[in-house]
């Protein structure tokens, strides 16, 4: 490992600098990612709810960089993914979009101001992520915007 990368527990090496795409529409995302790749950024982060995965995948495909040198992370939609079955659907949806590129990390995405009345089966979602990793669909998984209490519940 050097100062510009991190090594995850599973051995995946990722750059410390990432181009985030929250709040970019499809055109803005595509333009930003093309410029980021031209300038040496090799870690791109998106989410299903950002509605720009297709644009980002197309930007990576159209770029002149080696597709295998680009780390892609995305997040499952908290609006659509509530448990195991919807997680499998969400994983497959993003896998199709990023076919030929790959998904390195997929996160369970919780909105910071989510509706507390909605019940999520995070254990089922994690099970779907573990299966996707075992099948080679993703290389790693994690959570976004989870509290320590929520992490402990999943761990337990």
């Amino acid at each position: 490992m050097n100062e510009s990368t991190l090594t995850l527990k599973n051995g995946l090496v990722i750059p410390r600098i990432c181009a985030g795409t929250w709040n970019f529409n499809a055109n803005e995302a595509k333009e930003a990612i093309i410029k980021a790749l031209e300038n040496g950024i090799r870690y791109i982060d998106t989410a299903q709810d950002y509605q720009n995965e297709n644009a980002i995948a197309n930007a990576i495909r159209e770029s002149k960089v080696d597709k295998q040198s680009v780390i892609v992370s995305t997040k499952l939609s908290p609006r659509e993914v509530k448990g195991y079955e919807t997680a499998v659907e969400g994983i497959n949806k993003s896998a199709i979009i990023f076919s030929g590129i790959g998904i390195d990390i997929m996160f369970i995405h919780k909105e910071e101001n989510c509706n507390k009345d909605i019940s999520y089966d995070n254990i089922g979602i994690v099970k779907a992520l573990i299966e996707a990793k075992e099948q080679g669909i993703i290389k790693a998984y994690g959570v976004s915007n989870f509290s320590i209490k929520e992490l402990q519940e999943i761990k337990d």
Side-chain angles (χ1 to χ4, degrees):
M1 179 174 98
N2 63 44
E3 290 183 16
S4 63
T5 62
L6 295 170
T7 302
L8 302 182
K9 191 175 180 179
N10 71 349
L12 180 63
V13 178
I14 62 170
R16 287 181 184 263
I17 297 175
C18 173
T21 61
W22 176 76
N23 216 19
F24 284 169
N25 67 38
N27 291 334
E28 293 168 334
K30 186 174 181 182
E31 184 178 326
I33 296 310
I34 287 170
K35 291 220 183 285
L37 292 170
E38 287 173 355
N39 287 290
I41 300 295
R42 293 296 181 267
Y43 180 8
I44 312 299
D45 178 69
T46 186
Q48 292 172 347
D49 275 3
Y50 301 170
Q51 298 179 357
N52 59 22
E53 284 184 320
N54 281 308
I56 289 165
N58 288 334
I60 295 168
R61 284 188 190 96
E62 292 173 19
S63 75
K64 295 178 179 153
V65 303
D66 173 14
K67 309 316 173 242
Q68 300 311 308
S69 72
V70 179
I71 300 292
V72 173
S73 64
T74 191
K75 302 170 201 76
L76 293 166
S77 171
R79 290 173 180 74
E80 297 175 15
V81 176
K82 307 286 193 252
Y84 175 80
E85 289 180 14
T86 52
V88 169
E89 291 170 10
I91 292 164
N92 290 334
K93 177 180 172 183
S94 289
I96 290 167
I97 292 169
F98 287 102
S99 65
I101 299 166
I103 298 171
D104 296 284
I105 309 167
M106 182 162 271
F107 294 96
I108 303 173
H109 195 193
K110 185 182 129 201
E111 295 178 281
E112 290 185 62
N113 299 316
C114 74
N115 183 343
K116 303 291 183 203
D117 297 332
I118 296 175
S119 176
Y120 293 91
D121 174 15
N122 288 324
I123 303 303
I125 298 170
V126 170
K127 180 181 177 201
L129 290 168
I130 290 169
E131 289 175 2
K133 184 175 180 279
E134 290 170 350
Q135 295 166 4
I137 298 170
I138 62 174
K139 294 179 184 170
Y141 55 89
V143 298
S144 176
N145 300 330
F146 274 57
S147 68
I148 292 173
K149 179 183 177 209
E150 290 165 320
L151 288 172
Q152 190 63 49
E153 288 171 0
I154 291 171
K155 184 179 175 193
D156 291 345

